[in-house]
Amino acid sequence: MDERKTWDWLVRELTEGAETTVQPGGAGAPVTYRAASRAEVLPGERGIRIGCFQGRELEESMVLHLDPPTLAARLRDLVEEAVAAFGTRREEGLTEAFELLMVHLQETVDTARPGEVHLVPARGGFDSLRDPPVSR
């Protein structure tokens, strides 16, 4: 999968929202809800501003500091760890790597302290910072 496809995959995941299926008590068919997520790609594809993540409105928008080449490299780095964690290998392990990346992102969003709104790739996932990273 090339850089463009992985980037589009991430943008789609962050902007389309997550689906939740609820089994109603008693009789009735399961109901699926799509939680609205809100995100926008920053100019020059230098990151993604996230206002709502997996159906949860964020108190402060967060900026995921990734671009297409960095995302592609990050996924390649996660392949073997993700394949071991999930026990499958789809699309050469990139599907599992993407799933693991989203788990790391969720953990970082959930544990960020107030004011830590800049999400940057780090060993073992992402770090949340108060100040944006220094430009390359």
Side-chain angles (χ1 to χ4, degrees):
M1 188 173 295
D2 67 18
E3 290 176 4
R4 173 56 41 200
K5 286 182 181 177
T6 58
W7 180 256
D8 291 345
W9 191 4
L10 178 62
V11 171
R12 191 171 47 254
E13 183 72 20
L14 292 175
T15 57
E16 290 182 358
E19 282 188 356
T20 303
T21 301
V22 177
Q23 299 286 344
V31 178
T32 300
Y33 297 94
R34 180 171 285 281
S37 289
R38 238 182 26 257
E40 64 177 315
V41 176
L42 298 177
E45 297 183 328
R46 300 298 297 162
I48 301 171
R49 183 180 324 281
I50 305 167
C52 179
F53 185 72
Q54 296 187 345
R56 190 182 88 203
E57 193 72 33
L58 302 178
E59 288 184 29
E60 296 178 80
S61 291
M62 302 180 105
V63 177
L64 177 58
H65 292 273
L66 278 178
D67 57 17
T70 305
L71 172 63
R74 187 85 177 140
L75 290 175
R76 285 190 300 273
D77 290 346
L78 287 173
V79 165
E80 294 310 318
E81 178 185 351
V83 166
F86 294 112
T88 58
R89 184 180 294 269
R90 293 170 287 161
E91 295 206 31
E92 300 176 6
L94 287 174
T95 299
E96 291 80 4
F98 188 84
E99 290 171 3
L100 185 57
L101 180 114
M102 292 304 292
V103 167
H104 289 314
L105 184 57
Q106 177 70 56
E107 290 171 345
T108 306
V109 168
D110 288 346
T111 60
R113 292 182 221 137
E116 293 180 344
V117 297
H118 297 278
L119 308 174
V120 296
R123 182 173 221 144
F126 294 94
D127 284 340
S128 57
L129 307 171
R130 291 185 178 280
D131 298 314
V134 177
S135 296
R136 295 180 243 172

